[in-house]
Amino acid sequence: MFPNSRSKDVAMKKPLFSFFAIFMLLLFFYSLRAQQITFNKVVLPTGDSHGGVGGFAQDKNGYMWIATKGGLFKYDGYRFKIFNNDPSDPLSLVNNRLENIYVDRQGIIWIISWMDGLDRLDPSTETFTHYRHDPENPNSLSSDTIRSIIHDQDGIFWIGTTSGLDRYDPKSGEFQNFSHNPKDSTSLSCNRVRMLYEDREGTLWVGTGSAWNGEGGETDEGGLNRFDKKTGTFKRYLHDPDNLQSLINNKVSSLFEDSRGTFWIGTAGDGLHTMDRENGIFQRHRHDPAQPDK
């Protein structure tokens, strides 16, 4: 009697379990189909001629900061606050035409202007500090035309300009410049620094060269540089027409290390690469119309 009862119990549980599993699967797939991704257009305040967005960043409090060609905007998810240059106020934004924006590890906002240097904005006081090139001061910013900025693991700022790479120590308030020297193969490969990246190991990578005519695009100048912070020297990685494991092009526009530790380099000239940093070898990933999965 007991074995028969147990067999009947198990037989009843199996269909019940199967029905429950099927029900959960159906519910899961239905929820996936019901999920919709929607986009809400965020329009900058009417009447403000922003002229296009150069860059944006989010601070540690969740506010969005938007650098435009018509000033700086702070967005809290509901309302905008605009910061503009006021010629009568030296603590206002240096210039309304902005190129990019960066939030450092302490939550300070750094604004790259159009050929007018670098601004530091303290969100607590909403006042700006200006950093400009001073030809009479070798410890000032090397150029007012800036392309990139990062804050490294040691608290040092690195700034990419059209006159080389600048190191800024916030404790001393001084800048140190590293530039190209044609007679020194351990110097920066090109003074037009467009991209900076610090990898997990704390190595600073410097992407140089511009693809735009009038900014060196008509030349072959550029290259990727690995900077040794201890010695102040650079190891260059350049395009070599005879080496398929070199960069496709010297105009480096993007650098990124993914979650698996793979290092990616984007250049002009149909150039996406992954790099073996230990051996300095590049694998090229080019567009092939015949193979759309590439």
Side-chain angles (χ1 to χ4, degrees), residues 14 76 98 165 293:
K14 281 185 177 178
D76 64 4
L98 309 178
L165 174 68
D293 58 324

Side-chain angles (χ1 to χ4, degrees), residues 68-98:
T68 78
K69 300 297 187 290
L72 176 66
F73 291 84
K74 177 183 178 183
Y75 182 56
D76 64 4
Y78 302 95
R79 292 171 297 275
F80 285 99
K81 180 173 183 178
I82 186 170
F83 298 86
N84 282 129
N85 170 256
D86 180 355
S88 64
D89 182 3
L91 298 180
S92 69
L93 190 65
V94 69
N95 187 325
N96 288 334
R97 185 172 180 180
L98 309 178

Side-chain angles (χ1 to χ4, degrees), residues 9 20 72 75 79 102 116 118 126 131 155 162 210 214 218 240 246 278:
D9 220 18
F20 179 74
L72 176 66
Y75 182 56
R79 292 171 297 275
Y102 178 79
D116 275 322
L118 183 67
E126 295 189 343
Y131 299 88
T162 54
S210 172
E218 62 279 3
D240 180 353
S246 69
E278 186 175 344

Side-chain angles (χ1 to χ4, degrees), residues 111-183:
I111 303 103
I112 297 174
S113 68
W114 172 253
M115 300 177 69
D116 275 322
L118 183 67
D119 267 13
R120 175 188 185 275
L121 170 63
D122 186 338
S124 61
T125 62
E126 295 189 343
T127 56
F128 295 84
T129 303
H130 311 309
Y131 299 88
R132 302 292 304 269
H133 169 62
D134 180 357
E136 303 297 325
N137 181 7
N139 294 318
S140 69
L141 195 64
S142 64
S143 170
D144 283 335
T145 304
I146 298 169
R147 297 296 184 228
S148 55
I149 178 173
I150 64 168
H151 192 201
D152 74 12
Q153 298 173 11
D154 301 317
I156 300 297
F157 289 91
W158 299 92
I159 302 153
T161 79
T162 54
S163 295
L165 174 68
D166 281 5
R167 177 187 187 274
Y168 174 67
D169 185 347
K171 293 180 180 178
S172 67
E174 294 185 344
F175 293 84
Q176 179 184 4
N177 178 248
F178 299 88
S179 59
H180 172 66
N181 182 351
K183 298 179 180 180

Side-chain angles (χ1 to χ4, degrees), residues 196-217:
L196 297 171
Y197 193 87
E198 184 185 33
D199 66 21
R200 296 178 190 176
E201 296 181 355
T203 301
L204 182 65
W205 296 87
V206 185
T208 69
S210 172
W212 301 99
N213 288 337
E215 292 187 2

Side-chain angles (χ1 to χ4, degrees), residues 17 19 21 39 57 67 86 88 111 114 156 198 211 232 255 267 281 284:
F17 175 78
F19 173 77
F39 293 88
D86 180 355
S88 64
I111 303 103
W114 172 253
I156 300 297
E198 184 185 33
L255 301 167
T267 71
I281 294 173
R284 300 175 177 182

